[in-house]
Amino acid sequence: MTRLASLGEFEQVVLLAILRLGESAYGVTIRSEIAACTRREPAPGALYTTLDRMEEKGIVRSWLGDATPQRGGRAKRYFALTREGRAALIKSQAAYQSLLKGLDLLGGVHA
Amino acid sequence: MLSPSIGEWMVSRFTGEKRAASIVGDLLELKPRKGSLWFWLSLARVVMAVAWRRPLAFIAAFMFGAWACSGLQSTESMGINAMLSHQFPWMNLFWTFFYMLWFVLVYTAIRYGLRDRVTQLALALTIPTSALIFYWQKPAIVIACLALGGCVVVASILSHKRRRAALVLFVVAAAGFGGGLPAMRLADQYLNFIVPMPRRVEGMQGQIQAHPSVSWVYLVMIFATVWTMTAACSCMHKWLMRNDSLDSKTGSKSAS
């Protein structure tokens, strides 16, 4: 049995954005999805180093896609979660959920 | 007007070429909306984010090199008699190897992190080597350290990935000897030039040490050796250890 990687907060945000985007997850779309959902635009350096680190850990995989003229003929790098990445994300989110259990943060006594 | 290719070249110095191209492509895609200033500032932030570990690791390794060199001057303080090195000249090789191990450990731990196999191998070899030096008078510890060191070497030869890490360590050590020995020779020539008398003459050592340029010569010597070793470590790590699968892919999802 392999040990699941522990995920930081930003790693989880990036993984959730990739999941939401599905087949069209690459640098630009991941960044705008995070900005739209969290109202915080991630620094480009932070995003790319996080993606590289997660790829090295085997949490995400990437492949090169099509190049467009507006990108100066440079290929897009698409991302998707690996099985290990999905399992690590589920584990992290389950931990959040169990911490939230009993707390009614959205409009309850703890709001 | 600066070309984005210059930015791509800068990013590719610190990451793979195809990765750099895709990063610059992403920024170029947003450039019409956000402007040229945003593009270049973002590129600078990307370069900073991917490159900060390299100068920090170099500075830490350089500082450690300077500290180790001063430690070599007073080996008694490390728990081993300096006479031992005079009696057995091969001990100097062991000392040099010991400092190189620590150097590689400091450099790779900062640059590549503790998960890296070269860092782990350097750590696995540094622990028994350090214990051997500090407890060399206790035979039981010496035997245990030698056995542990032997096990680490055998384990690194048997595993394919660890063998690559061992090769990186070996080349860095060879570069250290290759760069350090000529640097020491040059420094020695310079010392002979400023004080052209045999060193064994009484008071000569103090006269050499009092010369204002001597500490600079040592500093340059350490800098040259550290630079040789870090360059060798970077090249070998990039060649043998880095996951360059993306850069070898041809561009379809099925390839991944």
Side-chain angles (χ1 to χ4, degrees):
Chain A
M1 193 180 141
T2 53
R3 222 179 90 207
L4 288 177
S6 56
L7 299 172
E9 189 205 341
F10 187 59
E11 286 178 330
Q12 290 181 53
V13 168
V14 173
L15 289 178
L16 287 168
I18 294 172
L19 270 184
R20 287 172 65 89
L21 289 161
E23 296 278 294
S24 59
Y26 71 101
V28 174
T29 53
I30 295 170
R31 203 158 173 263
S32 49
E33 186 69 17
I34 293 171
C37 294
T38 65
R39 292 187 195 136
R40 269 169 49 198
E41 203 157 286
L47 179 62
Y48 293 116
T49 48
T50 303
L51 287 166
D52 278 349
R53 188 174 60 243
M54 289 199 294
E55 192 171 11
E56 274 174 24
K57 284 199 230 171
I59 294 168
V60 296
R61 62 191 169 84
S62 73
W63 66 97
L64 293 175
D66 48 327
T68 57
Q70 72 200 81
R71 298 172 59 86
R74 291 163 177 90
K76 289 174 183 171
R77 185 180 163 200
Y78 288 101
F79 292 90
L81 268 70
T82 60
R83 194 179 294 167
E84 293 80 18
R86 188 178 284 266
L89 182 62
I90 290 169
K91 187 186 150 201
S92 301
Q93 289 298 309
Y96 274 129
Q97 291 300 322
S98 54
L99 282 167
L100 281 169
K101 212 174 276 174
L103 297 175
D104 193 5
L105 273 182
L106 303 173
V109 285
H110 297 99
Chain B
M1 183 85 182
L2 283 171
S3 159
S5 303
I6 296 169
E8 188 180 327
W9 178 82
M10 278 163 59
V11 180
S12 69
R13 296 303 91 204
F14 305 101
T15 182
E17 278 176 21
K18 287 185 179 171
R19 285 168 198 258
S22 66
I23 291 170
V24 173
D26 286 351
L27 297 180
L28 274 175
E29 204 177 315
L30 294 168
K31 192 179 164 190
R33 266 194 288 147
K34 305 215 172 194
S36 280
L37 182 66
W38 175 88
F39 172 79
W40 287 105
L41 281 176
S42 298
L43 202 66
R45 289 169 77 185
V46 169
V47 171
M48 289 279 284
V50 295
W52 70 270
R53 279 172 183 263
R54 190 184 283 198
L56 184 73
F58 182 85
I59 291 166
F62 178 70
M63 298 296 283
F64 180 79
W67 174 80
C69 200
S70 64
L72 195 66
Q73 306 281 323
S74 55
T75 44
E76 293 94 334
S77 64
M78 300 286 284
I80 192 165
N81 198 322
M83 274 174 64
L84 208 61
S85 296
H86 292 298
Q87 280 174 359
F88 308 106
W90 56 266
M91 279 294 288
N92 285 325
L93 273 181
F94 179 74
W95 273 109
T96 314
F97 181 68
F98 167 70
Y99 287 129
M100 278 179 187
L101 270 182
W102 267 101
F103 161 81
V104 174
L105 182 61
V106 170
Y107 184 76
T108 54
I110 295 172
R111 176 129 190 232
Y112 305 111
L114 289 174
R115 287 168 188 269
D116 183 72
R117 286 182 198 278
V118 180
T119 311
Q120 290 172 352
L121 182 62
L123 183 66
L125 284 172
T126 304
I127 291 169
T129 316
S130 305
L132 192 68
I133 282 174
F134 283 101
Y135 300 102
W136 66 283
Q137 286 166 316
K138 296 181 179 174
I141 293 180
V142 170
I143 291 166
C145 289
L146 287 174
L148 187 61
C151 288
V152 170
V153 170
V154 170
S156 62
I157 289 168
L158 290 178
S159 154
H160 174 66
K161 283 181 178 172
R162 289 198 192 97
R163 200 158 48 227
R164 286 175 167 223
L167 191 60
V168 174
L169 266 188
F170 177 77
V171 172
V172 172
F177 280 112
L181 291 177
M184 277 197 284
R185 180 81 186 138
L186 277 174
D188 207 43
Q189 291 286 321
Y190 178 74
L191 296 182
N192 282 336
F193 172 72
I194 57 167
V195 186
M197 288 174 91
R199 300 278 175 81
R200 293 189 183 165
V201 174
E202 205 173 315
M204 212 35 59
Q205 209 61 34
Q207 203 177 324
I208 290 171
Q209 294 299 330
H211 199 278
S213 67
V214 167
S215 52
W216 285 104
V217 169
Y218 280 127
L219 214 61
V220 170
M221 186 188 85
I222 296 164
F223 187 87
T225 311
V226 167
W227 186 83
T228 313
M229 288 173 74
T230 51
C233 191
S234 299
C235 291
M236 289 302 291
H237 200 281
K238 190 176 179 181
W239 183 40
L240 290 175
M241 306 301 294
R242 211 161 98 197
N243 178 13
D244 271 338
S245 53
L246 176 75
D247 287 337
S248 61
K249 283 173 193 166
T250 49
S252 68
K253 190 186 174 186
S254 55
S256 65

